Amino acid sequence: ASLLFFPYVVGVLPTNPKLIRGGLEVGAYNAIGYWAQSISLQTSQASTAAFICSLAVIVVPILDSLLDNQKSIDSLKKTLFPALLAAAGVASLELGGVELPGVGDLWAFMQPIFFGLGF
């Protein structure tokens, strides 16, 4: 895919470097997210890592509400309650064990954060 789009990138680079920087930033966030996810899957249980990594669908709207200057605090409240309710529902389904969190779980928490930043 890189070779296919390379001629376009070469043509756009001199005219719009901000677009290239933005693409590199998003790519770096996603690369770090995938890297953290792969390390977490090696060092923690798959069900726990799956739950934590599924938090990306919750982190994205929360980060959007926090980082968008035009949105009000009411928008954050309207986003936060359903997100926490969804996380609690998934947690009750996935986290049925008594195992304590480990280092792999910390790596897994990096994935939704960096995916959220990338979106």
Side-chain angles (χ1 to χ4, degrees):
S2 298
L3 291 175
L4 180 69
F5 288 109
F6 186 72
Y8 174 75
V9 171
V10 170
V12 170
L13 185 59
T15 60
N16 198 351
K18 190 174 181 180
L19 178 69
I20 301 298
R21 279 194 304 262
L24 289 173
E25 179 182 1
V26 169
Y29 288 145
N30 285 325
I32 293 170
Y34 280 120
W35 178 60
Q37 181 183 18
S38 66
I39 291 176
S40 72
L41 287 171
Q42 293 173 359
T43 56
S44 68
Q45 290 186 349
S47 63
T48 305
F51 163 70
I52 295 171
C53 292
S54 72
L55 293 176
V57 297
I58 295 169
V59 170
V60 170
I62 291 173
L63 285 176
D64 184 44
S65 295
L66 289 173
L67 299 177
D68 191 2
N69 294 336
Q70 296 176 350
K71 293 191 177 184
S72 65
I73 195 73
D74 291 332
S75 173
L76 178 62
K77 289 179 185 177
K78 289 179 184 177
T79 303
L80 194 58
F81 178 69
L84 292 177
L85 189 61
V90 173
S92 66
L93 292 172
E94 293 290 334
L95 302 177
V98 292
E99 188 175 313
L100 294 174
V103 175
D105 299 332
L106 293 175
W107 282 105
F109 273 112
M110 287 177 59
Q111 187 260 359
I113 292 170
F114 280 100
F115 274 16
L117 289 171
F119 291 127

